Amino acid sequence: MIGVVAILVDETLTRTSRFALPPLAVGMGMYLPMSLTLIIPLGAALGYFYNRWADRAGGDVERKKRIGVLLATGMIVGESLYGVVFAGFVAGTGSDEPFALFSGFNGSIAEVIGVAAFAAVLTWMYKRTRTIAGSEPVSAG
């Protein structure tokens, strides 16, 4: 019933205003934990700013946007593959934290270090992608 109501509200909002209530987003918000749900709007914001850069940079805008989408999908697939490999290490070692580098620190400091490292890698990846997207494509012939 919630899905039907979400679709009806979305259709009504889409036809009467510039707002929407995507049913998929409602569904994901209902069953995913907050630690995963919070990442979705952050990824959407990154995509928005990347696409704005592609529009302002000129040249082959669609190519630039496709490369940005490839980066995002690669990150999703990479996270999924890492999850499978990590589960194997957890099962193999019997430890919930087989790769704990900062076990001497309390949890909050290790989390801050992890978030900072993730932000640094993400920044590097998007800068590298912008460099690749800004270069001329190699012709097949």
Side-chain angles (χ1 to χ4, degrees):
M1 288 304 298
I2 293 172
V4 171
V5 171
I7 291 170
L8 291 174
V9 170
D10 180 51
E11 287 296 320
T12 303
L13 285 173
T14 303
R15 293 174 189 210
T16 61
S17 69
R18 64 182 192 101
F19 299 105
L21 180 68
L24 179 61
V26 172
M28 290 174 68
M30 289 174 61
Y31 83 90
L32 289 177
M34 184 59 77
S35 61
L36 293 177
T37 306
L38 179 62
I39 299 302
I40 294 169
L42 292 176
L46 275 173
Y48 172 76
F49 289 120
Y50 182 86
N51 285 342
R52 278 187 53 197
W53 166 81
D55 290 334
R56 284 192 318 265
D60 191 353
V61 174
E62 289 305 313
R63 178 178 181 274
K64 290 179 172 89
K65 288 182 179 181
R66 279 194 313 268
I67 290 176
V69 169
L70 285 174
L71 171 65
T73 56
M75 291 174 63
I76 292 167
V77 170
E79 187 274 335
S80 298
L81 292 174
Y82 173 78
V84 171
V85 171
F86 182 76
F89 276 100
V90 168
T93 63
S95 169
D96 290 343
E97 300 175 351
F99 304 132
L101 298 175
F102 302 104
S103 59
F105 294 100
N106 81 24
S108 61
I109 292 174
E111 288 175 9
V112 169
I113 292 170
V115 168
F118 176 74
V121 168
L122 188 64
T123 301
W124 174 81
M125 288 175 69
Y126 267 97
K127 284 185 178 185
R128 179 79 176 127
T129 301
R130 285 175 61 168
T131 302
I132 292 168
S135 65
E136 290 299 317
V138 177
S139 65

